[in-house]
Amino acid sequence: MKHLADNAPLKQLDEWDDFVATRYRQGKSEEEFRNYKAEANPTVTEFYRQNHARQTFDFVLQKKAEYCSLSRGKKSIWEMAAYLNTLVDDSDPDTDLTQIEHLLQTAEAIRKDGHPRWFILTGFLHDLGKVLCLYGEPQWAVVGDTFPVGCEYSDQVVFPEFFAANPDSKIPAYQTEYGIYEPDCGLDKVHLSFGHDEYIYQATRRYMPEEAQYMLRYHSFYAAHRHGAYHHLMNEHDERMFDWVRKFNAYDLYSKGRERPNIQEILPFYEELVSEFFQDKIDW
Ligand SMILES: [Fe+2]
Ligand SMILES: [Fe+2]
């Protein structure tokens, strides 16, 4: 991937995913968790510095206008997965999973626990939105913990001190508890920082059940699903649906490190699964 170094502090996108998994390592005490900064390497820290400074309310609206109309052409899920797999960054081919392997590993972990077919498929789809990087979007607009824009930043978002450099922090209307939103308005009315979650949600929402839509759209919203922040913007329906987001998150975080999936062996199952929900090419 050729990027301006300034816009690509991570050697590979997965560095962010790995950092998140470390933060929530199973069995970690709350005190250990609060030490996450010691574990963030300089590239991850620089990545968050850019993400928090540049994801403004206006930026989010602009990216939503650009991508949520799904006007970049039609592709099948498999064509998109193959396209995402061309993202190689500086990863080590011997040890690092390819993007498709991460998707299949997540899906397989869900399958082994006997969950419904739509849940397995959600595991397979969940990071396809990272193709934003191949469209030329900078890392800070593709990955990272998501957070609402247009209202006060929660200190439950990692590296909250980096928000001081965001131009929105100087706009008083965006810095009250509710900002531009109404109490308990529901997350559908709230704009989150832009990234791969929103894009895959928009592309697949017409084909997937609502529980899956929540999993896809909010899987990086750690401040809410792990730390209970932003409840004042959620309605009761969101609260119920977030049980599914949390259920999904365990598989996203902890499926890595399991054995490499035998793609040839499991491919027929996934071909049938994908065609059950997506008969044709879809808009991206
Ligand atoms: Fe993701
Ligand atoms: Fe993931």
Side-chain angles (χ1 to χ4, degrees):
M1 286 289 296
K2 299 271 177 292
H3 283 303
L4 292 173
D6 175 53
N7 263 345
L10 303 174
K11 284 194 287 298
Q12 38 170 315
L13 276 191
D14 289 11
E15 259 187 86
W16 169 70
D17 305 81
D18 293 343
F19 168 68
V20 175
T22 310
R23 252 162 56 198
Y24 299 112
R25 213 171 54 220
Q26 268 162 329
K28 219 174 185 186
S29 68
E30 185 60 22
E31 196 182 344
E32 282 180 298
F33 164 72
R34 276 190 253 106
N35 271 330
Y36 67 81
K37 281 176 196 167
E39 285 168 353
N41 62 37
T43 59
V44 167
T45 306
E46 171 61 14
F47 162 77
Y48 278 108
R49 200 188 58 71
Q50 296 182 3
N51 174 276
H52 289 9
R54 297 177 188 174
Q55 288 268 0
T56 62
F57 183 75
D58 287 348
F59 175 80
V60 169
L61 291 196
Q62 185 196 320
K63 287 296 149 188
K64 282 186 159 180
E66 191 176 338
Y67 290 110
C68 298
S69 55
L70 303 177
S71 48
R72 298 188 67 100
K74 287 181 181 293
K75 271 193 172 79
S76 71
I77 296 295
W78 291 105
E79 286 170 327
M80 215 42 163
Y83 181 45
L84 178 64
N85 232 24
T86 65
L87 182 70
V88 285
D89 309 284
D90 293 338
S91 56
D92 176 348
D94 292 330
T95 54
D96 292 321
L97 294 178
T98 64
Q99 298 292 327
I100 286 187
E101 283 173 323
H102 167 62
L103 294 176
L104 285 172
Q105 204 171 47
T106 308
E108 281 291 280
I110 295 166
R111 174 152 79 128
K112 288 198 177 94
D113 282 351
H115 289 299
R117 289 172 71 83
W118 61 263
F119 194 164
I120 303 169
L121 180 57
T122 303
F124 180 64
L125 298 174
H126 82 280
D127 277 342
L128 278 184
K130 288 181 180 174
V131 294
L132 287 167
C133 220
L134 295 167
Y135 296 164
E137 292 299 333
Q139 292 171 345
W140 56 265
V142 180
V143 294
D145 301 49
T146 55
F147 54 87
V149 294
C151 64
E152 189 178 60
Y153 305 113
S154 166
D155 60 7
Q156 297 300 308
V157 181
V158 282
F159 293 106
E161 65 274 25
F162 291 156
F163 287 125
N166 189 305
D168 286 359
S169 67
K170 311 282 183 312
I171 299 175
Y174 293 167
Q175 292 309 321
T176 63
E177 185 181 14
Y178 293 100
I180 63 163
Y181 308 111
E182 299 290 327
D184 310 311
C185 59
L187 287 181
D188 193 43
K189 294 203 170 66
V190 175
H191 297 287
L192 297 194
S193 53
F194 188 75
H196 71 287
D197 305 53
E198 180 70 14
Y199 185 48
I200 191 60
Y201 157 74
Q202 292 290 351
T204 60
R205 56 187 287 198
R206 287 191 297 288
Y207 307 92
M208 299 295 284
E210 196 187 17
E211 294 84 350
Q213 295 173 25
Y214 267 79
M215 291 170 174
L216 295 170
R217 195 177 201 183
Y218 301 114
H219 73 271
S220 304
F221 193 10
Y222 284 89
H225 69 68
R226 289 297 285 227
H227 304 286
Y230 297 107
H231 274 304
H232 57 290
L233 298 176
M234 294 166 71
N235 58 30
E236 278 175 30
H237 187 64
D238 294 329
E239 305 277 3
R240 274 195 302 276
M241 286 290 149
F242 261 54
D243 286 342
W244 291 101
V245 178
R246 279 183 285 271
K247 215 170 268 185
F248 174 78
N249 185 238
Y251 296 103
D252 193 12
L253 287 181
Y254 306 122
S255 56
K256 272 197 175 189
R258 299 186 186 207
E259 77 232 62
R260 223 170 177 132
N262 181 338
I263 297 190
Q264 287 323 309
E265 202 176 287
I266 60 179
L267 208 56
F269 172 84
Y270 286 94
E271 279 169 348
E272 203 187 312
L273 179 63
V274 168
S275 58
E276 184 182 326
F277 289 81
F278 301 92
Q279 284 90 357
D280 296 306
K281 294 176 190 270
I282 62 168
D283 292 316
W284 292 90

